[in-house]
Amino acid sequence: MKTMDFKKLHSIFIEESQERLAELESGLLQLERTPDDKELLNTIFRAAHTIKGSSGTLGLKDISKFTHNMEEILDLMREGRLSPHKEIINTLLDSTDLIKEMVESVASDTVFDFTRCNSLVERMEEIRAGDRQVIPIIDQDIKGLKTTPASSELRTFRIIFIPPQDLFKRGIDPAIILDDLKKIGTVANINADTNNIPPLKDFNPENLYLKWDICFKTDKDEEEIRKVFEFVEDGSKIKIIPASSTQKDMPLIGKMLVEEGVVSPKDIEEALRAQKKLGEILVEQGKATPLQIEKVLKKQEGIKSESFKSSVSSTIRVDLEKLDRLINIVGEMVIINSMFQQLVSDKQETAGDAKITVEQLNAIFSQLTRVSKDIQENTMSLRMLPVGDVFRRFDRLVRELSVSENKKIQLVMSGEETELDKGVLEKITDPLVHLIRNSIDHGIEAPKERLLKGKTETAIIHLTAYQLGNSVYIDVEDDGRGLNKEKILEKAVSRGIINGNKELTDEEIYNLIFLPGFSTADRVTDVSGRGVGMDVVKRNIESLNGSVFIRTRHDAGTTISIKLPLTLAIIDGITVLIGNETFVVPMASVVESIRPRKEDVQTIAEKEEVVNVRGEFIPLIRLYETMNIMPGKKEPWDGIVVIVGTENGKYCLMADEILGQQQVVIKNLGRAMPKVSSVAGGTILGNGMVALVLDVHGVVEKGIK
Amino acid sequence: MATTILIVDDSISMRQMVNFVLTASGYSVVQAVHGKDALDKLNNGAKIDMVITDLNMPEMDGIEFIKQFRRHPSYKFTPVVMLTTESKDSKKQDGKQAGASGWIVKPFTPEQLLDVVKKFARR
């Protein structure tokens, strides 16, 4: 039994714990606002309870022990003996964070330093002490863990066992207990007392009327014998009388020292707990410097979070309803299959006279088409998760940042049920964190400043998700001071990003903040200005085929909208031919396609080619040059240009010809392919050929260089 | 026929773990996610020899489940073991009042689980 491999249960544990941790976190945050919500409290309690239970079960005793403390506090709240003060919520939130880290180290198979729990455990014990005398967990553990090894000495006990009459009704057979006794010793003599059996007319076969007197020989101590009676102790009379009372075993050196009066039991306990961390010992011995240790620790954390990511992204929990729907559709497909079979066998029976008509085939095909589309849609929906899962984390972020920034901020979320592809969801978290931080750090004014402006003291950040057509939008809207046009311009000029005498529209000015190295913050603060700017946000979103928009009004606030495709895996695209190769241009970026006249293609400045499209000059990118392949058509007026729209404006992509428009399933190119910025992935076309799907942003970046 | 044990727990990892340990030792297992689910499964004809139930669950908690389970004529004498925590002494009492046969203190090891199961689910 000991060799059982629990590792494979770890991934379930990790996933479940993460869900529960999210519940804990958002629940605790909510509890602060609605302290009387009993149902909420129950949910929170259950979350902690489950983490404790499953971690303990998987042998992760330290996690379990730690979570136990939280559970105790939550239980006191449930009983109404503690109320969720800010201090308590803070402690519980910090503890939740620590458990998160513990779970992460399980995920990454690294060692978590549990001495880090000590101060939190103390804080939690203090909270509990506020309610009643604390029974420190540590004592229980020592009691439970350090069972003294049995001495080989045999002792005799007399056991008197008088069970309650209703023992059967609790599903217990007294024979079980007698059997268990035999496992830990020898029953030298046993007497069943039948005096209590009533006359037949009063006899109830569902009752137990016997009692036993047992002479028992064992090398175990009384406590272990009592354990056998554990489940019947209640309601039974059990007497365990040592025939020859022996001293309790004194096995360990510690115990001997205690006996000799050299040290107290507490000293032993402390000595055991005072074991130092490996790093500290090495530093003490001069074998490593604190700096070196810290470096390695940091690295270890890096490893942790990396492997954590990989271990969590591989599984997904699916709404049962979605799965049922899919199974139903598959059922329909089976029916279509048999329809087809029927048709063929009907034909064979009539000895070839009746031909299968086009109508008959069409009927089946139209069904098949419908079902395939259903399957496609439903399968895709399995990957869809509500954005609320991600949104809820921001509650915490805003709460903490408003404290550290001395600002009053309320986060209002809506559209949490909007669904996004899991892959997209994972990748937008960081950009959203950045946007929210930006809002709090730069956008929102200090309470005093807000009052002076006639605004409410408390600022509001709206985090909204909604679906429009084939895109999902996520808006981060604040009612802060808005972007400062002059300041942005000034900075852009001073950094040499633009030259001073160029006329820019408002929109162009605001978009300057997306350029690398740009920050409107005058100072580097704790929250932002760490070198990760809006350019990274933009790039991250664009790598998802999404885009970012800014709307801002002076002193009224800023809204940053992120537009994302519903799913990453299937896109509408235009297939184009270049030489012998087929490429797919994602439809989302396509504006139109034209065949330019020769005189519309011009070269401006030194080398930049543009196409005059109804008076608008759009830069030309020859795809065959970018992709480095032999084209069929060398000049735009012989081939075709696809005009694509990006955040930086429109571009003409030149190809030989357009083959058509179709939905394609984007496949990852895999590790064997080096990462190419101009290619988003590969796909298999209807004719079985493989085509590359262009990453329009990458192509443009490469093409204009 | 193998001895069948009903596990009632809202935690998937707990169910998986118990299921894993029990099936590895030759028991067959019926899983339910809370008390109501368990009663539904029994009403639908699931035959079981023993129950292991958690106490804290949504919909119907362990205590209420044990009470209702005991009222069922076929399960008057069937062993019911509850999964509990050390701190829940009062709950343990409630469980016994309701008719629980025994308990397993969380966290527990596979050995402890099997010990208790062997104790009650013997033929």
Side-chain angles (χ1 to χ4, degrees), chain B residues 7-32:
Chain B
I7 310 168
V8 195
D9 200 317
D10 59 327
S11 156
I12 172 170
S13 51
M14 187 61 93
R15 283 202 311 275
Q16 294 257 14
M17 183 269 176
V18 176
N19 180 41
F20 181 56
V21 171
L22 292 183
T23 46
S25 305
Y27 294 95
S28 62
V29 169
V30 175
Q31 300 188 33

Side-chain angles (χ1 to χ4, degrees), chain A residues 449-467:
Chain A
E449 196 184 333
R450 289 180 65 87
L451 287 175
L452 279 176
K453 284 179 182 171
K455 293 183 181 183
T456 52
E457 202 180 3
T458 305
I460 295 178
I461 294 179
H462 284 274
L463 189 58
T464 317
Y466 51 97
Q467 188 181 339

